[in-house]
Amino acid sequence: MHHRYDVLVVGAGGAGLMAALYAAKGNVSVACISKLYPTRSHTGAAQGGVGAALGNVQEDHWEWHMFDTIKGGDYLTDQDAAEIFSKDVIEAVYELEHMGLPFSRTEEGKIAQRKFGGHTREFGKAAVERSCYAKDRTGHMILQTLYQQNVKAGTTFYNEFHVTDLIIEDGRCRGVVAYDLSTGEIHTYHAKAVILAAGGYGRIFKITSNALTLTGDLMSIYYRKGLPLEDMEFYQFHPTGLSKLGILVTEGIRGEGGILRNSTGERFMERYAPTIKDLAPRDIVSRSIITEIREGRGVGRDGDAINLDLTHLPRETIEQKLAEITDLARTYLGLDPIKDLVPIQPTAHYAMGGIPTDVNGLCLSDGHGGSIEGLYAAGEQACVSLHGANRLGTNSLGDLIVFGRRAGIYAAQYARQVDYGTMPENPEAESNDMLNRMKNASGTDNAALIRKELQETMMNNVGIFRNGPDMEKQVGIVNELKARYKNVKVSDPSQRYNSELMEAMELGFMLDCAEAMTASALNRTESRGAHDREDYGERDDANWLKHTMAYKDLNNDNNVLIGYKDVSLKGYTRAFEPKPRVY
């Protein structure tokens, strides 16, 4: 089946819906393809808020937000992206408010703001109230608001369609191929411009806050074409996920005054980050928690968790401002945060790296300014290098709305200027071959077992603390799992909603992302942000103030080629030079 649209968006989370909405405002035809019904997208799991220097509670300025973003990213952040973001996110928040997003309010009726890790006033002097929130359901409210606006704008939705290929010919994107889960049919989408916004790949880890659908599909498809993935070594572990489950416990809890305590009851973050304590950037807090556990001060049956203490907070704060996570703790752990300590542990949360883009969302083909005409990306799947080596809390939702909007605007602008490119003769061939290979394989390997081994070994060998021998071992493990994957057989012959087939296909995408991440991490011989090497404990600005570009070696399936891209220092000032790693 064949479809044609001026602008095609892949993914219906916050970035995809924002891109679709602003493309539709550009007077072009727009369609959005999603694995899920849009309001079930993973953006709905984001609880804490959107960081923006509105100054509604106390004085704040976009320059302070820019500084925090660059410092939080351990100076790998591109400063032009940080400047655009810190300015534009203020306007974007007010736009969401005008669309009807029900932000929590101050007594004066302004958008309420609260503290969040790594956000400071006066360039690091003290914590600042910058996070704009809707209780602890901010991401959910963004999805609902943007979906309604897209329906109003006339965006066409193809829900429960799984993209299997990007059509790129002669350096220009011509469209995509997708699998209809409800019928088992292959659909071809011809477009002048395509925007990729399909989310991250956190399911490669055993303990993760990510939804089951976040398997890095479009990152893998991009990578398989010999195109680069940027900064894949930088993966953020959120400090607080419900113990054993990984379900996110918002940083907003610590913004409201929650305290991390070890088995002795000590508020241990006072030792690791004396100034901002529990509100230090996420990489600092995650490493501090793991250190406490390693040194025998963990809690729980296995001693592999830390307690989150809310018992000193007013009941109304917990019940009203933190309602969702309170309900999750009661439901899944049988604990009441009003009177019980809640065990948490770091959970794989967010990819700083991904498909490289410029500040307008245009996808880059190398580290030297090359690009793919008509192809854009936004959100967690993209790497505009806003987050550098470690993303600040709240900057993910800000990233979605700022760079999703920019991608939509510039994709529509491009689509108005060009004609449809010529499609190849049989664009579905590669997708049909992939699906038929899995359906008709003669092997006996099981996709679920391979996935479990991948998740466990990635958690152990490329997790919060890393070293060369473990990562070299993981390179071999991933290659072995890739060989076994070729023998995976899908036994379910169903055409409609064949989840076994979809999960097997997703496993292939996950293996690609794990391969690129492990090679990138092994190659970077320093510690920076979320990438912490025990064998190279210091940040090395002389040799590593640069972005990693990982390419699949199309001549050797078990090899990754590494290139680099300069960090942009083209912000409003060059004063934000790397400083020591002190918090």
Side-chain angles (χ1 to χ4, degrees), residues 64-227:
W64 298 353
H65 191 183
M66 178 183 174
F67 172 81
D68 291 337
T69 298
I70 293 168
K71 183 181 179 183
D74 221 349
Y75 299 95
L76 205 72
T77 295
D78 281 350
Q79 296 191 16
D80 53 350
E83 179 177 351
I84 288 168
F85 167 76
S86 301
K87 291 176 178 176
D88 285 8
V89 72
I90 297 170
E91 179 183 337
V93 165
Y94 285 128
E95 285 185 347
L96 288 174
E97 179 189 31
H98 296 163
M99 291 178 197
L101 196 150
F103 284 108
S104 297
R105 299 285 170 175
T106 66
E107 291 183 359
E108 296 81 16
K110 297 180 179 180
I111 296 173
Q113 296 184 274
R114 60 186 172 201
K115 296 176 182 177
F116 234 77
H119 290 274
T120 69
R121 59 180 175 85
E122 298 179 72
F123 307 107
K125 287 188 177 179
V128 70
E129 291 168 293
R130 183 177 290 149
S131 173
C132 311
Y133 60 94
K135 293 189 176 180
D136 58 352
R137 299 188 175 98
T138 315
H140 179 72
M141 296 305 178
I142 288 175
L143 280 182
Q144 297 288 340
T145 301
L146 290 178
Y147 181 58
Q148 292 168 6
Q149 292 295 317
N150 270 280
V151 171
K152 178 182 177 182
T155 301
T156 301
F157 284 92
Y158 292 89
N159 300 326
E160 297 185 325
F161 278 70
H162 198 137
V163 171
T164 55
D165 199 12
L166 277 172
I167 307 302
I168 299 175
E169 293 280 318
D170 301 321
R172 179 179 173 185
C173 184
R174 314 299 175 98
V176 307
V177 178
Y179 176 89
D180 182 354
L181 274 68
S182 67
T183 65
E185 296 177 342
I186 291 289
H187 291 242
T188 301
Y189 293 83
H190 192 185
K192 294 180 180 178
V194 174
I195 303 172
L196 307 178
Y201 60 100
R203 297 310 301 186
I204 68 170
F205 291 104
K206 180 182 178 181
I207 303 295
T208 179
S209 65
N210 283 199
L212 292 172
T213 55
L214 292 185
T215 51
D217 306 0
L218 272 297
M219 289 186 192
S220 166
I221 291 170
Y222 196 80
Y223 176 68
R224 289 177 183 182
K225 295 185 179 298
L227 296 167

Side-chain angles (χ1 to χ4, degrees), residues 319-373:
E319 294 282 13
Q320 295 176 18
K321 293 186 177 181
L322 306 169
E324 183 171 283
I325 195 59
T326 298
D327 183 58
L328 289 170
R330 289 167 175 166
T331 300
Y332 291 105
L333 298 181
L335 297 172
D336 187 347
I338 291 173
K339 57 185 179 63
D340 298 320
L341 300 177
V342 179
I344 56 87
Q345 62 187 154
T347 179
H349 182 56
Y350 190 88
M352 272 73 76
I355 296 172
T357 76
D358 68 10
V359 294
N360 299 326
L362 183 65
C363 293
L364 304 180
S365 58
D366 55 47
H368 309 290
S371 60
I372 305 297
E373 188 179 347

Side-chain angles (χ1 to χ4, degrees), residues 383-435:
C383 182
V384 68
S385 303
L386 171 67
H387 308 304
N390 181 47
R391 174 181 67 77
L392 288 188
T394 76
N395 275 3
S396 58
L397 291 180
D399 180 5
L400 301 182
I401 59 177
V402 169
F403 291 103
R405 179 174 70 167
R406 290 180 76 88
I409 290 170
Y410 283 94
Q413 184 181 92
Y414 172 79
R416 290 195 302 269
Q417 297 171 351
V418 300
D419 295 324
Y420 286 95
T422 304
M423 289 285 274
E425 190 171 324
N426 187 7
E428 307 94 345
E430 195 168 323
S431 296
N432 279 322
D433 287 347
M434 176 178 63
L435 295 171

Side-chain angles (χ1 to χ4, degrees), residues 263-278:
S263 59
T264 69
E266 177 197 9
R267 185 182 187 179
F268 59 87
M269 283 308 301
E270 292 180 332
R271 286 190 277 112
Y272 296 97
T275 302
I276 48 181
K277 303 180 180 67
D278 304 86

